[in-house]
Amino acid sequence: VQLQASGGGLVQAGGSLRLSCAASGTISTINSMGWYRQAPGKERELVATIHNGGITNYAAPVKGRFTISRDDAKNAVFLQMDNLKVEDTAVYYCNADVRRIGLGDLRFTYWGQGTQVTVSS
């Protein structure tokens, strides 16, 4: 199973970016997908998650500015980031909690390679 993230870049404060992440491989079902970020010198932190049924969860610093969504047909997750702030600068990682074909109810967690988001003042 692989996760491929894209969509990062450089944007001015107040601007927008949209991140995408697609999962591929021997996936039976995806239980949840999410985005995390890691700024220089800091630990990786939760940004947002989306669970089956469309249940979403956001970290307080991004609530109201970021929107997470899924395309189950494409095993993809998206993060629409609006009104970006300098403190949103980080490497963003996508994450998926999946069940794999032939492995029953076992659950596995996979990470994408990370995409850099830089917000300038």
Side-chain angles (χ1 to χ4, degrees), residues 24-98:
S24 62
T26 54
I27 297 170
S28 173
T29 57
I30 295 181
N31 305 303
S32 66
M33 299 187 82
W35 291 93
Y36 292 71
R37 68 186 182 187
Q38 187 167 17
K42 295 187 177 181
E43 294 187 352
R44 190 174 298 187
E45 63 178 8
L46 169 73
V47 176
T49 57
I50 184 165
H51 301 261
N52 288 341
I55 299 171
T56 58
N57 176 52
Y58 294 93
V62 308
K63 196 171 293 186
R65 300 187 297 120
F66 291 10
T67 303
I68 189 170
S69 60
R70 273 171 68 169
D71 183 337
D72 290 337
K74 297 181 179 180
N75 287 340
V77 64
F78 309 96
L79 186 68
Q80 177 66 40
M81 304 185 292
D82 298 318
N83 190 21
L84 281 159
K85 302 178 179 181
V86 172
E87 50 265 40
D88 294 320
T89 296
V91 177
Y92 284 70
Y93 298 90
C94 61
N95 162 284
D97 177 7
V98 311

